[in-house]
Amino acid sequence: MPQPLTTFHLFSKYLRNFLEFAGLRSAGAAGLLFIAGLLQGIGLLMLIPLLGLTGFISTDAASNKIVTTLQGFFDSLGLNYSLTTVLFVFFLILTAEALFNRYRSILLNNLQLDFTDHLRNRLYRSIGHASWQFHSHHHSADSVHLLDEVVSDIGQGTFSTLQLFVIISHAIVYLLVSLQISPVMTVLMMMTGLLLYGLVMPINRRVFQHGQRAVDASRTLYRTMADFFAGLKLAKSYNRTENHIEEFITNTSKLRSEQKALMFSSASAQMWLRILTGALLCLFVYLALAVFSMGADRLILLIILANRLYQALSSGQNYWQYMLRMLPAYETYTRAAGEFDQHAEVLQSSGKTVPPLQNKITLQSVSFYYTDKQQAALDNISTSIPAKQTTAITGPSGAGKSTLADILMGILTPDEGKLFIDETELDAQLLPAWRQHVAYVPQEVYLFDGSIRSNLNWGCQENKKEEDLWAALEAAAAADFVRQLPDGLDSLVGERGVRLSGGERQRVELARAILIKPDVLILDEATSALDLENEQKIQEAISRLHGNLTIILIAHRSSTLKQADNVIELDNGKIQIKG
């Protein structure tokens, strides 16, 4: 169970992060809070002379410091101390306060939105920079949950935190004005306010705990939705849609129960605060009249101040609970961002480059482990892959073929051993530069919801000329079917390329790989899910590329192996046959 100290340290960490981001803008916001509070205090103090001038109460200038000070101020400006003049000054103060409050609201809202964007962009960058090995063990729905729900919760909590500071500034003004009226009653208000907060602390602890469970329930719900959409076609084929729907409803109910518990705790705290503050307000009126024999002018102002102070306490408690709900989300965010950063790969090659492949790729005693050192995905692999030839890597499922391909393309780093491009050893600093020489065609094609043109240009640093696009499509045996589409290159492919057949998607993917003019082309089971006609078209395209670049085929089918100049057979992470 989280202790209050843990909550305090978490809030301190969050506040430091926010202030580091806000910089000078936080000082500007503090200045606006101070000026607006000062104007509000002056406006409150002017209520006494206003009430006196209207005749509602009797004020003796000789015994009333506020009236005396105000008369002296008017005299110094050469103004008459009259109802008209006081009302005009009062109006000017209210106008100035409204202007400062407007700028304060704009600044605080901009701070909240900018900080939320900063957190989301920072996390997105960390996710993008994390190694592929880490992503392969991380549920993608968790990342979506972090970017969407968790960051949004932090943004709402930031709004509550900023509003809390506004309320604190107002409370300070009320107390300072109250000190001018009755120091004793002010001390009583402060003590009872602290007492009231102490009474609702147990509820606040429950709010934090419900917030933690709500974050976990929300994460589970995002995983449920991601799994459903990823397997929707399969779920329909097995008539399992209703099972997914029931799971979604169950997880939604769990999340909603935590949210309802949060609202119950918040409403309970608000109820007790309103009851107790109402009782205290009545007590103060009684003490002011029966014990301190307070005059009508000070009593009216004190009642206004006490009422505003307790309203501020109630609102502050509400915002404080919103902030407590946010802290578990912030804790989840910082922990996840730290994990992504911990597994970040080197993105800059520090000006280093990898020369184009001329002779061979060499693996020297390469081993790789996905989890622990008990079972190697690749075990002491030593081999070479000749340049400008076609090499097939084959073997049963789980033999290590895709792992070897990932190492060759530079998205995995060997745990043991070395990888050479000709005479250049590939280390972590050179991997980003090496990837610019490699193109990869996976079994599951990735096409986003856009045109064929935009999908082809996606892998390039710049948009290619139309003749280059058609040349790549010709090389991939895809030009004929693209020409037959109504909009040609500008035809939309749909989400994940659903408007194209499997063979068409595969050929567009191959054209995208060819377009970047790689030294090495890796095809990972690229034809395993295709019919014989489409497989033959892909094989013909690969044959036309033979001798122009280094081709690595991850394959099972004997028809694919026939295209290879060299074959490496893996089993249990070891080379069984090479020829």
Side-chain angles (χ1 to χ4, degrees), residues 442-449 455 458 496-497 505 509 512:
Q443 180 179 357
E444 296 182 3
V445 176
Y446 169 68
L447 296 179
F448 56 85
D449 190 6
N455 272 281
W458 176 80
R496 301 186 307 278
R505 289 197 297 270
E509 179 73 57
R512 180 164 64 188

Side-chain angles (χ1 to χ4, degrees), residues 488-523:
L489 287 171
D490 295 313
S491 299
L492 299 178
V493 301
E495 186 180 5
R496 301 186 307 278
V498 295
R499 297 184 184 180
L500 304 178
S501 69
E504 290 170 343
R505 289 197 297 270
Q506 201 75 49
R507 281 179 277 163
V508 170
E509 179 73 57
L510 179 58
R512 180 164 64 188
I514 295 171
L515 188 62
I516 68 172
K517 299 179 179 179
D519 291 338
V520 179
L521 175 63
I522 299 175
L523 296 99

